[in-house]
Amino acid sequence: MKKSIAISNKIFKEALNIIPYGSQTYSKGVKAFSDGVCPKYLHRGKGCEVWDVDGNRYIDYVMGNQPLILGYSDPDVNKAIIKQLNLGSTFSVSNKLEVDVAKLFVKYIPDADGVRFGKNGADATSIAVRLSRAITKRDHIAFCGYHGWHDWFIGTTDLNSGIPKFNNQLAHSFSYNNITSLEKIFSKHKNKIACVIMEPITVNGPISKPSGSTKWKNFNNKDNFLIDVKNLCKKNGALLVFDEVVTGFRYDMGGAQKMFDVIPDLSCWAKAMSNGVPISAITGKWEYIKYLEKTFFSFTYGGDCIGLAAAKATIHKMNKNNVIDHLYKVGGELKKGLNDLISIYQLNDYFECVGYPCRSIFKINEVGKYNKPLISKTLIQQELIYNGILWSQYHSISYSHKSIHIKKTLEAFEKAFKKFKNIVSKNKKIENYLDGKPCETVFTRVSDFQSVATSQKK
Ligand code: PMP
C-alpha cells in the first residue's frame, strides 16, 4: 500500500533552503531513495525496524549505511553509553577506555600490534595513506573500492569539484580480482607507489586465478588475488592497506584478513565496530603503526568516550553471542529465498542476489531498452516500501534480523517481482509504473571498474 509521507516531504522542502541536497550523506538522500515514494526522515529505530516521521514502520536493510550490526537502540550498547555519559564524554587528557578498546583490537585483529582511533571511516583511510607516504617517502597510491570523502579518492570521480588536479595524478584505481590492472600501475609508476589501499572484499571474495571463475566458493587459501596483491606490494616496496570499514566485525571478528589469512601492513575499521556510534580505527604492524608518533593524526574528539564505550560493548556482545554466525545464517535465508523467487518468476536475466550472506547485494542487469538498472531498482524499491521494507539494493543484516523478518521480506519481494514480471512480459516501460523520481548514482569514477558497486555504498 502507498505510504503517506506528507510530513517527510514538508520537512524536506524546508531543508532544501538551508541544507544543500537536504541530507548529510549522499546515499541517505533522494539519489538513493526515490523522491515521492520513500521516507526522507526517520524518527526512531528498534532492532531491525524503523519508524518514519509520518509513523510508517519498515524492516530496514540499510541499517544506517551498515554500522548497525546489532540493531537500533541495542539495550547493552545503550547501557554502556548512558553509563559513560554520566561519567563524562570527552576529557582533557586520555581515558582508560582507549586502552580497553585497543586491547580488544589487538586480541581480534591479526595485523593489530597497535591501534589509533578516529571518528569516520575516512579518518582511518586518510591516515593510512598519509602514514604509508611518510614511511615509504613516496607520493603515489593505488586503490580499489570506495574509501571516503577525502581529496585523493573523490578527486578520481566526477564529483571532483574543488579538488586540486594533482590528486588525480597521484591516485590510481585498479580492479578487484584483476592482478594485471595492479601490475600495470606498478610498472607505470616504478618505485613511486607508497601503498595499495583496497577493500579486501568488494562483492564476492578473492578468486584463485585472475582469469578464473568469479565464484567466491572457488577461493583457494594458498593462491588467490589477495596473496598476489600482497606479493606485488612486497616486491615493489609498497605497504598493503586493507580498508576493512565494511568487512570489519561483519564478515569475521578479525575482518577479511582473518578469513583469508592475508595479513596487511595497516588496516582501517569503522561501521560495525560500534553499532552506529561514531568511531573508527587504524591498526597495523608495530614497525609501521609506531610512525604515528611522528605522523600527524590528532583532533579534539579522537578519544571521545561515547564511541569507545559503544565499541567496547558492541565487540563484547558480538563475541559473546556469536553474532557473525547469526548474520550468515539469517542472511543465507534471505539470499537463498531471493534467488529461489527470482528463478520461480523467471527473472534470472534481470536479477541475482550475490555476495556473502552477511551483506548480500541485489545485482540488477540491463535487459532490453526499458530495463535500466536504476529504473528497475526504483520500481523494486517502491514496491518494497509499499510493503514495509526499507531497501537500497544491499542487505545489511544485523543481529536483530530474525527468520520472521526474512519471511516478511521475501513476501514483499514476491509482490515486487510479480509486478516487475507483469510489466516486462508485456514489454511496457517501467518508468510509467514509478510513483516517484528514479534513483540516481551518487558518482561515477573516472576510468571506473566498479562504479555501480561503489556508488551504492557511499
Ligand atoms: N571505506 C569503505 C569501504 C566504505 O564503505 C566507507 C563508507 N561507506 C568508507 C571507507 C568511509 O567511511 P565514512 O563514510 O565513515 O567516512
Side-chain angles (χ1 to χ4, degrees):
M1 205 178 63
K2 210 166 169 172
K3 306 278 181 198
S4 164
I5 49 166
I7 300 176
S8 253
N9 286 340
K10 184 167 174 278
I11 301 172
F12 187 64
K13 214 169 149 195
E14 279 178 337
L16 279 182
N17 292 321
I18 47 177
I19 298 178
Y21 179 63
S23 171
Q24 312 305 319
T25 312
Y26 276 112
S27 59
K28 294 184 183 178
V30 288
K31 285 189 173 203
F33 292 95
S34 173
D35 188 1
V37 167
C38 297
K40 296 186 177 74
Y41 295 91
L42 294 178
H43 174 58
R44 74 182 177 96
K46 185 73 197 161
C48 66
E49 292 184 311
V50 287
W51 286 258
D52 69 13
V53 286
D54 289 271
N56 302 302
R57 172 180 173 168
Y58 308 90
I59 299 172
D60 190 356
Y61 283 92
V62 183
M63 301 302 281
N65 258 9
Q66 310 177 64
L68 287 139
I69 196 87
L70 298 173
Y72 289 93
S73 192
D74 178 82
D76 298 308
V77 178
N78 281 359
K79 203 168 133 199
I81 292 172
I82 291 164
K83 183 176 162 209
Q84 190 56 45
L85 268 176
N86 286 324
L87 292 170
S89 57
T90 293
F91 294 100
S92 316
V93 296
S94 296
N95 184 280
K96 179 176 168 290
L97 271 176
E98 294 169 40
V99 183
D100 293 350
V101 181
K103 277 187 184 164
L104 287 175
F105 270 78
V106 171
K107 178 173 169 196
Y108 289 112
I109 311 301
D111 82 353
D113 293 335
V115 190
R116 283 285 309 273
F117 299 106
K119 277 285 150 204
N120 286 289
D123 293 353
T125 55
S126 299
I127 187 58
V129 166
R130 180 180 289 177
L131 197 55
S132 304
R133 285 172 164 163
I135 293 166
T136 59
K137 310 214 171 357
R138 298 171 173 182
D139 288 340
H140 289 249
I141 60 164
F143 68 92
C144 172
Y146 175 79
H147 304 292
W149 75 278
H150 37 65
D151 283 4
W152 61 259
F153 177 77
I154 294 299
T156 62
T157 74
D158 60 355
L159 274 190
N160 58 4
S161 58
I163 300 177
K165 294 264 182 305
F166 72 85
N167 277 287
N168 245 356
Q169 288 150 19
L170 298 178
H172 316 286
S173 147
F174 66 100
S175 172
Y176 192 80
N177 271 334
N178 181 344
I179 198 70
T180 316
S181 66
L182 182 61
E183 281 165 350
K184 277 187 189 154
I185 294 172
F186 273 116
S187 60
K188 190 164 172 202
H189 306 280
K190 223 170 178 32
N191 300 327
K192 287 188 179 159
I193 304 288
C195 70
V196 169
I197 179 166
M198 64 180 296
E199 292 186 64
I201 298 172
T202 50
V203 178
N204 294 311
I207 57 169
S208 307
K209 290 280 172 213
S211 57
S213 159
T214 52
K215 290 210 172 96
W216 66 270
K217 272 186 258 167
N218 288 359
F219 146 76
N220 165 344
N221 223 352
K222 292 195 189 68
D223 173 20
N224 71 61
F225 174 65
L226 294 178
I227 293 175
D228 287 349
V229 173
K230 188 171 168 172
N231 289 338
L232 209 50
C233 286
K234 210 166 167 193
K235 190 172 137 201
N236 288 281
L239 299 197
L240 175 61
V241 182
F242 277 175
D243 175 347
E244 301 245 28
V245 167
V246 167
T247 48
F249 298 98
R250 173 175 290 282
Y251 289 63
D252 190 289
M253 286 297 279
Q257 57 191 266
K258 178 90 189 297
M259 284 170 82
F260 301 116
D261 194 23
V262 180
I263 316 304
D265 299 309
L266 298 168
S267 48
C268 310
W269 310 83
K271 297 213 193 255
M273 66 177 276
S274 53
N275 201 44
V277 183
I279 185 168
S280 60
I282 174 171
T283 59
K285 294 179 184 161
W286 191 251
E287 60 182 305
Y288 303 123
I289 201 89
K290 71 175 183 195
Y291 277 84
L292 278 173
E293 278 178 15
K294 287 184 257 161
T295 310
F296 201 88
F297 184 54
S298 173
F299 31 84
T300 306
Y301 295 117
D304 156 63
C305 293
I306 304 307
L308 287 164
K312 188 174 170 181
T314 302
I315 296 170
H316 274 309
K317 184 162 180 175
M318 290 193 68
N319 181 48
K320 189 166 149 237
N321 294 16
N322 285 327
V323 167
I324 294 182
D325 286 353
H326 175 86
L327 306 182
Y328 277 85
K329 180 184 160 286
V330 169
E333 290 168 18
L334 178 67
K335 188 178 170 189
K336 180 175 183 315
L338 273 177
N339 283 328
D340 285 351
L341 282 175
I342 290 167
S343 291
I344 290 168
Y345 286 88
Q346 296 174 336
L347 292 171
N348 306 69
D349 287 347
Y350 299 88
F351 307 133
E352 188 185 0
C353 185
V354 294
Y356 287 77
C358 59
R359 180 184 168 275
S360 59
I361 316 279
F362 193 81
K363 188 165 161 259
I364 305 178
N365 300 320
E366 186 163 344
V367 182
K369 60 179 175 181
Y370 298 138
N371 296 293
K372 303 278 177 236
L374 280 168
I375 300 292
S376 302
K377 172 192 166 177
T378 312
L379 184 86
I380 300 291
Q381 183 180 64
Q382 166 185 300
E383 297 307 306
L384 291 178
I385 283 286
Y386 293 168
N387 288 286
I389 311 292
L390 187 61
W391 179 86
S392 190
Q393 230 187 312
Y394 60 86
H395 313 115
S396 198
I397 303 292
S398 76
Y399 189 52
S400 301
H401 287 86
K402 309 286 180 203
S403 298
I404 177 82
H405 301 109
I406 303 299
K407 188 167 170 276
K408 281 189 193 159
T409 305
L410 290 172
E411 283 163 12
F413 264 105
E414 180 155 19
K415 289 183 190 158
F417 289 161
K418 257 186 202 161
K419 176 144 187 179
F420 186 89
K421 179 79 184 175
N422 204 13
I423 298 170
V424 294
S425 56
K426 291 184 184 136
N427 219 4
K428 297 235 173 97
K429 261 189 159 175
I430 296 175
E431 275 100 328
N432 295 343
Y433 294 82
L434 300 182
D435 297 333
K437 292 191 188 143
C439 298
E440 294 170 46
T441 40
V442 171
F443 59 75
T444 307
R445 204 153 62 219
V446 184
S447 80
D448 202 352
F449 295 107
Q450 288 168 340
S451 63
V452 178
T454 47
S455 61
Q456 280 154 6
K457 283 168 60 174
K458 172 62 195 70

